[in-house]
């Protein structure tokens, strides 16, 4: 325990040196042994010795002095239990706070805060932790907490707006509140695009209004059953509850949004800044989910959309204001091109069909056209087969290969399906080209991956007729 600097001074006076590196190495080992001795390994939260409730001051402060009561290791994670905390513990859909603990020059990063009963566990980054009995200062990450609060308060506004626009029967089924987004689950039919827009606008109107957000703790018996204070009857409430109110006078319970809620919130709706609905979709039968963002996250989302539109406008060579008009013109032109292409394909198919009619043969009493059309895909083969149907009665089997893939088509006139079926032809010859296929007695399609066996497959089709 003798001070190192005095030891070095005395050693120099006697012409000696101190192995400082070795000293620090052994001191680190001793610190590790001390931490291991005072850190308790627990498998379940019920094994935590501290049963006293953590005094939470995080509604009004983002920092607080505290004393370390216990240090535990849970599933390879180190957690510190304090007598007081400004960090919100994960609960009610709101994620836990992050931040740091300090003691002199020592700093420990808090990566999550959770609850065991009424006791808060502050999970640290790494195994190092302050010893039990140490006086520390806890500081919550203010930027992250601010983002979470914006998302939580706007979740209450969203719930209220949902009732105003859709129905009071649209009840909450779950929620998530984090720094990057919120999700809100509710029972309802799918919302129309107009309803989504109306909800988003109504919430933003309330944000611009900058109404006061207040909270009051009252006996649960005083508010139980009140229709104007939203509460979830599947939840278990304690003797004292916290009413979060938007609008109206603090403590007067006359706001337009009032809910029982233990989460952290902004002091006014104007702090939310901006609200955007990202998506609305089904997550289960009769249950919908809205995902939304607020504050700077909503701004970043809007900016991303704007940059995407600007990039699109540049690609199609139109001012941003004319993008929709230019897209309509491009789509109309595309339809005209598709129509012209289809007409050309039909003319080409008719020409090919005329050539194939000249090559028709009779195999065992069955008229047949069996041909390799070279670099043709399945759609081209089908178009040629359809062109042949009006001029030929019998069996048509066509093959082609494009982009390394084989396509096969079989068509059988109704007069011949009793003797041979198109589906069975394809099922027989498709494996020869490394593929499969099938269909109806009068028409079937298939394909494969081995163009080198296409002629063998068509020869097998002839053999089936023989």
């Amino acid at each position: 325990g003798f001070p190192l600097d005095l030891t070095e001074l005395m050693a120099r006076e006697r012409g000696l040196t101190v192995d400082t590196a070795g000293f620090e190495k052994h001191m680190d080992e001793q610190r590790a042994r001390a931490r291991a001795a005072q850190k308790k390994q627990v498998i379940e939260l019920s094994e935590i010795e501290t049963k006293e409730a953590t005094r939470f001051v995080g509604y009004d402060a983002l920092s607080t002095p505290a004393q370390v009561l216990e240090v535990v290791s849970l599933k390879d994670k180190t957690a510190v239990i304090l007598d007081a905390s400004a960090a919100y513990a994960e609960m009610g859909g709101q994620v836990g706070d992050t931040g740091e603990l300090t003691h002199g020059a020592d700093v420990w990063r808090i990566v999550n805060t959770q609850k065991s009963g009424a006791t808060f566990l502050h999970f640290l980054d790494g195994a190092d932790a302050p010893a039990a009995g140490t006086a520390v200062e806890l500081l919550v990450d203010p930027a992250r907490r601010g983002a979470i609060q914006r998302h939580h308060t706007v979740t209450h506004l969203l719930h209220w707006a949902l009732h105003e626009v859709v129905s009071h029967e649209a009840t909450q089924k779950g929620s998530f509140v984090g720094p990057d987004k919120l999700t809100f689950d509710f029972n309802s039919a799918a919302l129309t695009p107009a309803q989504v827009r109306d909800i988003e606008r109504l919430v933003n109107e309330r944000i611009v209004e900058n109404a006061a957000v207040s909270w009051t703790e009252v006996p649960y018996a005083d508010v139980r059953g009140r229709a104007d204070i939203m509460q979830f009857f599947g939840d278990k409430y304690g003797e004292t509850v916290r009413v979060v109110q938007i609008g109206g006078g603090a403590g007067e319970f006359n706001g337009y949004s009032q809910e029982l809620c233990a989460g952290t919130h902004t002091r006014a709706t104007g702090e939310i800044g901006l609200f955007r609905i990202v998506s609305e979709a089904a997550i289960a039968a009769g249950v919908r989910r809205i995902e939304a963002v607020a504050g700077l996250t909503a701004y970043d989302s809007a900016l991303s959309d704007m940059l995407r539109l600007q990039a699109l406008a540049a690609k199609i060579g139109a001012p941003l204001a004319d993008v929709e008009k230019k897209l309509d013109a491009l789509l109309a032109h595309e339809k005209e091109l598709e129509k012209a292409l289809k007409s050309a394909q039909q003319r080409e198919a008719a020409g090919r069909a005329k050539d194939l009619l000249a090559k028709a043969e009779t195999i065992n009493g069955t008229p047949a056209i069996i041909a390799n059309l070279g670099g043709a895909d399945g759609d081209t083969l089908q178009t040629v087969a359809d062109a042949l149907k009006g001029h030929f009665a019998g069996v048509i089997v066509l093959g082609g290969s494009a982009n390394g893939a084989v396509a096969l088509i079989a068509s059988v006139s109704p007069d011949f399906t009793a003797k041979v079926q198109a589906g069975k032809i394809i099922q027989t010859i498709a494996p020869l080209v490394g593929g499969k296929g099938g269909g109806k007695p009068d028409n079937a399609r298939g394909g494969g991956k081995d163009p080198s066996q296409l002629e063998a497959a068509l020869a097998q089709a002839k053999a089936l007729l023989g």
Side-chain angles (χ1 to χ4, degrees), residues 121-446:
L121 287 86
H122 305 82
F123 287 89
L124 304 182
D125 182 16
D128 192 22
T134 303
V136 296
E137 183 79 14
L138 182 148
L139 174 65
V140 173
D141 182 337
R144 185 174 182 273
R145 165 69 84 81
I148 293 170
Q149 291 184 164
R150 286 190 287 272
H151 281 124
H152 203 154
T153 302
V154 86
T155 297
H156 285 216
L157 285 177
L158 170 61
H159 197 178
W160 166 79
L162 188 68
H163 286 176
E164 294 294 308
V165 174
V166 182
S167 168
H168 284 275
E169 302 302 318
T171 55
Q172 181 177 346
K173 294 298 181 183
S175 66
F176 167 82
V177 176
D180 302 318
K181 69 174 184 178
L182 70 91
T183 62
F184 187 82
D185 303 340
F186 57 100
N187 65 314
S188 172
L191 303 189
T192 66
Q195 286 176 320
V196 173
R197 288 194 300 270
D198 289 346
I199 290 170
E200 188 177 74
R201 180 174 182 82
L202 190 54
V203 170
N204 279 297
E205 286 176 353
R206 295 305 187 188
I207 291 172
V208 173
E209 180 185 68
N210 198 29
V213 180
S214 58
W215 43 86
T216 308
E217 290 190 351
V218 295
Y220 180 47
D222 291 356
V223 296
R224 179 170 44 209
R226 282 187 58 164
D228 59 337
I229 298 179
M230 216 169 296
Q231 46 199 288
F232 308 102
F233 298 101
D235 290 358
K236 294 181 179 179
Y237 296 106
E239 292 183 2
T240 302
V241 293
R242 187 165 171 264
V243 180
V244 175
Q245 172 181 320
I246 302 177
E252 297 179 14
F253 304 133
N254 58 349
Y256 57 82
S257 168
Q258 300 181 133
E259 295 190 28
L260 298 188
C261 177
T264 61
H265 289 270
T266 62
R267 297 283 179 169
T269 60
E271 294 178 27
I272 298 168
L274 176 66
F275 173 74
R276 296 192 86 204
I277 293 177
V278 176
S279 65
E280 187 275 336
I283 59 167
V287 180
R288 311 292 297 180
R289 170 172 292 173
I290 287 177
E291 181 177 323
V293 288
L296 291 175
T297 310
Y299 167 77
D300 289 340
S301 173
L303 179 61
S304 177
D305 287 348
M306 176 59 72
L307 292 175
R308 194 176 295 113
L309 282 172
Q310 289 175 343
L312 178 62
K315 284 183 178 181
I316 64 176
L320 192 58
D322 296 335
V323 165
E324 189 174 4
K325 186 187 299 183
K326 184 64 177 285
L327 280 175
D328 287 341
L330 288 173
L331 291 172
H333 184 57
E334 182 185 24
K335 286 184 178 180
E336 291 176 0
L337 291 176
E338 289 175 349
K339 186 177 179 181
L341 177 61
K342 187 175 181 180
S343 178
Q345 289 172 338
Q346 288 173 342
R347 288 195 300 271
E348 182 185 5
R352 285 194 173 191
K354 185 177 180 181
D355 293 339
L356 290 172
L357 283 172
K359 299 177 182 179
E361 57 186 317
T362 300
I363 303 173
N364 194 23
T366 302
I369 295 176
I370 300 175
N372 181 349
L373 299 191
D377 59 16
D379 290 340
T380 300
L381 297 180
Q382 187 66 64
T383 303
V384 173
D386 291 341
L388 282 167
K389 288 178 183 178
H391 307 281
F392 177 78
V395 175
I396 302 168
V397 180
L398 304 176
S401 61
N403 302 317
V406 178
L408 297 167
I409 288 288
S411 179
V412 179
S413 302
D415 295 343
F416 293 90
T417 52
K419 184 176 180 180
V420 61
Q421 290 80 44
K424 289 184 178 179
I425 294 174
I426 295 298
Q427 288 172 3
T428 302
I429 68 175
L432 298 178
V433 293
K436 58 184 179 179
K440 298 178 181 180
D442 62 338
N443 198 84
R445 296 178 65 158

